[in-house]
């Protein structure tokens, strides 16, 4: 046996021995919204980290090797799916070398496909349509009702991995779901009072939120998903805002908001705001409830 | 069956897996991810030939096309085949080369085993394909020591993620010795070895530091030993806020090659020891725009028979999307003993179709 093979075998068996059980479940999530969910459901029985930060566009995260180190130690990896993380998560999973979190294993959970995605394209799609998601819009965690459903899926999976605390996880998820269902009624009333019915956004990030609260996403500043606004498209948007009397433009906080200045110069009555669209997207938004309240308050002009 | 193969089989097949059974047994779902990439190039250079059989040459050309097929093979392995189509020097014909064809393990803890033909883990640049090069061309020292294609060999590889709090990876490879510039071993039975040690630290949420050390050794055509050592250092900054619009990368790579027995064909002088370095900066100043600069020194040290070279490059890149890019590059090359410097202007388009690319950090 040559020296290379001896070294090789030494590392294989040494590292295999490193996979010892941890006291608490260690969960890695792709987004901060999912991290907030796991944190509330798992409480002191779970340690959780997110790969993306709340200030980052989750479509374009870089597959930093340090994320692979985290996923290597994870008992559970939770992602949105629906191709949100397609540009970076496969590399992280491949580099993590952790068989527990491979697709199909108990340690891998994709929540987006479980909660009836919106905007699933029909007919033939191509990249000429921009950055389309063939299985639907992936920003599912901006709907409080779907968040409640996701909480139950996460609790169920946590319970499978930690039978001892299964009931606590399910109980916490149900409490969260009920709380959000109750708050949706209050938030709906607040939005209704604002008089806002139509909103322009930069990207289709807020589709689920707007759909839940019966708001119309009348126009998108991106001419196509993932394509930055062009002058010609902005002129069309200005025309739409004037004709449809759209009162509000919301720009997700990882996009450049300066484009709205041009619109406001031409339509002084339109209001624009930069909004956080993920937990920890800014100060005082460290929970999903706070995130939804921030969005409701912004629409309401507070 | 030798000991290594027995252990390999036990490790691979002895680990229980619990893949969910997909009821769909036919149709597109099992097709591999397929993508094609092509690089078009227009060049105008004082040292470039007007002869279109030369690579590179003045004027328009298809620099390279690549076809990639990737898929899980079964519950144990993932397979990748990457075929390169490029012009053969001395002809206007294009040939197909299996740039990388390999399979690797999916479900081993802490380690990925790989077998096949692939780009060896020597430094950082050698693992890149031309469409992912930071500049239109490879650094001079890489071209000089490992050839136009880089160091590609049939090999067995173990990439081990070490149990540290930062990213630390050790790659060990047993390789064939066919590379014409470094080895060209006459015996197909001879093998060489390669080791690569890569470490990456998150200095802050926005800034990473990567340090890599690697070395490869094996017998060459003179029945002596060729050894190539490489060191690489990369700082990468992309802010968590505003990171769609700004990023900064500073990379450096140093190669030192000793090809024992190599002599200058004309003078007979030794040409054994050759080293060099390249350092480059990439700055993203808008969502789709990058500006870059590179300095290279080939000949640190260098034998008398190989003149040293210094090169400065500047590049402006525009990427309309993740799938298309246009790059304009200017190179200034100064060669020891040459009265005239060389100047080259290059315009490249880089187009990808098919499966979404996975972005390597």
């Amino acid at each position: 046996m040559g020296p290379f093979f001896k070294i090789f075998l030494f590392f294989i068996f040494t590292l295999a021995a490193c996979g010892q059980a941890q006291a608490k479940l260690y969960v890695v999530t792709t987004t901060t919204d999912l991290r907030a969910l796991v944190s509330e459901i798992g409480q002191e029985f779970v340690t959780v980290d997110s790969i993306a930060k709340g200030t980052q566009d989750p479509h374009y995260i870089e597959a930093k090797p340090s994320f692979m180190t985290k996923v290597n130690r994870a008992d559970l990896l939770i992602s949105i799916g629906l191709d949100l993380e397609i540009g970076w998560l496969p590399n992280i999973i491949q580099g993590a070398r952790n068989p527990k979190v491979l697709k199909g294993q108990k340690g891998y959970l994709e929540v987006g496909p479980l909660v009836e995605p919106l905007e699933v394209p029909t007919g033939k799609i191509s990249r000429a349509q921009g950055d389309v998601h063939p299985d639907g819009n992936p920003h599912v965690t901006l709907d409080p009702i779907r968040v409640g459903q996701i909480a139950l899926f996460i609790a169920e999976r946590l319970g499978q991995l930690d039978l001892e605390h299964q009931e606590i996880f399910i109980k916490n998820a149900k409490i969260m779901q009920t709380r959000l269902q109750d708050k949706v009624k209050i938030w709906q009333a607040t939005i209704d009072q604002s008089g806002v019915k139509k909103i322009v956004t930069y990207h289709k990030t807020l589709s689920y939120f707007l759909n839940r609260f019966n708001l119309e996403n009348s126009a998108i500043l991106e001419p196509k998903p993932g394509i930055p606004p062009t002058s010609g498209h902005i002129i069309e948007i200005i025309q739409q805002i004037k004709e449809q009397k759209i009162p509000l433009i919301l720009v997700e906080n990882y996009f450049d908001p300066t484009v709205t200045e041009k619109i406001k110069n031409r339509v002084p009555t339109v209001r624009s705001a930069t909004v956080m669209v993920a937990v920890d997207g800014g100060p005082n938004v460290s929970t999903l409830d706070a995130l939804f309240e921030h969005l409701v308050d912004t629409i309401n002009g507070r | 069956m030798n000991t290594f193969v027995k252990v390999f089989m036990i490790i691979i097949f002895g680990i229980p897996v619990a893949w969910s059974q997909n009821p769909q047994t036919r149709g597109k779902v099992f097709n591999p991810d397929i993508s094609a990439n092509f690089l078009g190039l227009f060049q105008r250079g004082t040292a470039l030939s007007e002869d279109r059989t030369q690579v590179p040459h003045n004027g328009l050309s298809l620099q390279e096309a690549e076809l990639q097929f990737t898929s899980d093979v079964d519950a144990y392995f993932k397979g990748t085949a990457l075929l390169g189509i490029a012009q053969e020097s001395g002809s206007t014909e294009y040939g197909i080369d299996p740039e990388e064809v390999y399979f690797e393990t999916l479900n081993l803890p802490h380690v990925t085993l790989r077998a096949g033909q692939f780009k060896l883990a020597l430094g950082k640049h050698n693992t890149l394909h031309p469409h992912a090069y930071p500049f239109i061309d490879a650094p001079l020292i890489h071209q000089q020591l490992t050839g136009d294609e880089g160091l590609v060999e049939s090999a067995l590889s173990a990439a081990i993620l070490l149990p540290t709090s930062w990213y630390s990876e050790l790659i060990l490879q047993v390789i064939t010795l066919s590379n014409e510039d470094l080895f060209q071993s006459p015996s197909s039975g001879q093998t060489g070895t390669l080791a690569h040690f890569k470490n990456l630290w998150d200095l802050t949420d926005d800034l990473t530091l990567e340090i890599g050390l690697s070395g490869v050794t094996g017998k060459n055509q003179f029945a002596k030993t060729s050894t190539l050592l490489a060191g690489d250092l990369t700082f990468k900054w992309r802010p968590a806020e505003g990171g769609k619009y700004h990023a900064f990368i500073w990379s450096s790579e140093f190669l030192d090659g000793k090809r024992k027995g190599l002599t200058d064909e004309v003078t007979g002088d030794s040409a054994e020891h050759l080293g060099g370095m390249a350092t480059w900066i990439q700055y993203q100043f808008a969502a789709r725009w990058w500006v870059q600069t590179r300095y290279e020194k080939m000949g640190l040290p260098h034998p008398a028979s190989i003149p040293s070279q210094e090169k400065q490059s500047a590049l402006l890149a525009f990427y309309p999307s993740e799938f298309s890019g246009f790059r304009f590059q200017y190179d200034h090359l100064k060669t020891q003993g040459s009265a005239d410097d060389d100047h080259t202007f290059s315009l490249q388009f880089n187009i990808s179709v098919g499966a979404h690319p996975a972005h390597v950090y």
Side-chain angles (χ1 to χ4, degrees), chain A residues 21-202:
Chain A
Q22 294 165 4
K24 276 186 182 182
L25 281 181
Y26 178 50
V27 182
V28 175
T29 64
T30 55
T31 68
T32 50
D33 293 356
L34 293 173
R35 186 191 64 200
L37 269 163
V38 172
S39 186
E40 180 165 347
I41 297 161
Q43 294 187 358
E44 71 268 31
F45 307 111
V46 167
T47 306
V48 58
D49 279 320
S50 166
I51 292 174
K53 298 203 171 298
T55 51
Q56 291 177 308
D57 182 348
H59 297 87
Y60 301 104
I61 303 299
E62 290 182 306
K64 276 203 283 191
S66 46
F67 299 145
M68 297 170 190
T69 306
K70 284 183 177 176
V71 175
N72 173 263
R73 298 196 302 270
D75 299 298
L76 176 60
L77 173 64
I78 305 178
S79 71
I80 297 289
L82 304 175
D83 280 1
L84 178 70
E85 305 100 340
I86 185 109
W88 48 277
L89 191 59
N91 271 355
I92 291 175
I93 293 174
Q94 174 84 9
R97 283 154 269 201
N98 179 357
K100 286 191 287 188
V101 300
L102 294 174
K103 256 190 177 179
Q105 298 288 4
K106 261 190 203 172
Y108 181 78
L109 177 62
E110 222 170 67
V111 298
L114 305 174
V115 289
E116 289 184 42
L118 297 175
E119 298 168 359
V120 181
T122 52
K124 187 172 165 57
I125 57 169
S126 92
R127 294 234 162 81
Q129 296 162 277
D131 191 7
V132 286
H133 291 267
D135 298 317
N137 185 317
H139 303 284
V140 292
T141 50
L142 285 172
D143 172 10
I145 297 300
R146 282 183 174 82
V147 164
Q149 295 165 355
I150 292 168
L152 286 174
F153 287 118
I154 290 175
E156 192 182 320
R157 187 59 62 92
L158 289 173
Q160 288 171 8
L161 293 167
D162 180 0
L163 288 170
E164 191 185 339
H165 301 107
Q166 190 175 34
E167 285 180 17
I168 297 173
F169 298 144
I170 299 288
K171 186 180 135 204
N172 290 343
K174 283 184 174 167
I175 290 171
M176 184 178 196
Q177 187 181 34
T178 307
R179 186 184 72 232
L180 287 170
Q181 284 168 345
D182 292 343
K183 284 191 175 180
V184 162
K185 292 169 196 159
I186 299 165
W187 291 331
Q188 181 70 68
T190 310
I191 288 170
D192 288 346
Q193 282 170 11
S194 74
V196 175
K197 297 280 183 203
K198 295 179 177 183
I199 292 176
V200 176
T201 61
Y202 192 105

Side-chain angles (χ1 to χ4, degrees), chain B residues 66-216:
Chain B
E66 287 177 346
L67 297 172
Q68 182 167 342
F69 306 85
T70 307
S71 178
D72 292 344
V73 177
D74 52 28
Y76 308 103
F77 304 111
K78 178 182 175 183
T80 297
L82 198 150
L83 309 175
I85 303 165
Q87 186 182 350
E88 293 170 348
S89 196
S91 155
T92 55
E93 302 290 318
Y94 280 73
I96 299 181
D97 266 333
E99 279 192 20
E100 292 200 282
V101 180
Y102 60 84
F103 70 99
E104 59 192 350
T105 55
L106 278 171
N107 53 15
L108 293 181
H110 308 293
V111 64
T112 301
L113 304 181
R114 180 187 285 188
Q117 177 175 305
F118 47 86
K119 288 178 166 285
L120 301 184
L122 183 89
K124 256 175 97 74
H125 201 283
N126 190 65
T127 59
L128 302 175
H129 287 276
H131 71 264
Y133 284 177
F135 288 78
I136 289 172
D137 53 344
L140 293 168
I141 188 63
H142 288 72
Q143 294 181 44
Q144 189 72 35
L145 285 172
T146 62
D148 292 338
E149 307 285 325
L151 196 53
V152 180
E153 297 283 356
S154 292
L156 291 172
S157 170
I160 302 150
L161 188 61
L162 300 175
T164 51
S165 58
W166 70 96
Y167 183 88
S168 185
E169 182 185 46
L170 180 66
I171 300 175
L172 302 170
Q173 298 180 331
V174 179
I175 65 167
T176 57
L177 300 167
S178 65
N179 184 279
E180 290 180 3
D181 296 276
L182 193 60
F183 300 117
Q184 210 175 355
S185 164
S187 167
S188 61
Q190 282 185 327
T191 55
T193 52
L194 179 147
H196 180 102
F197 186 41
K198 170 178 170 176
N199 288 277
L200 182 139
W201 293 270
D202 283 6
L203 300 181
T204 68
D205 284 344
D206 304 340
L207 180 67
T208 58
L209 164 65
E210 180 182 341
I211 298 175
L213 295 169
S214 40
V216 59

Side-chain angles (χ1 to χ4, degrees), chain A residues 204-217:
Chain A
K204 279 183 162 284
T205 316
L206 286 156
S207 295
Y208 288 91
F209 181 86
L210 301 180
N211 179 268
R212 176 59 57 198
F213 293 104
N214 305 306
L215 293 161
E216 189 184 316
N217 201 175

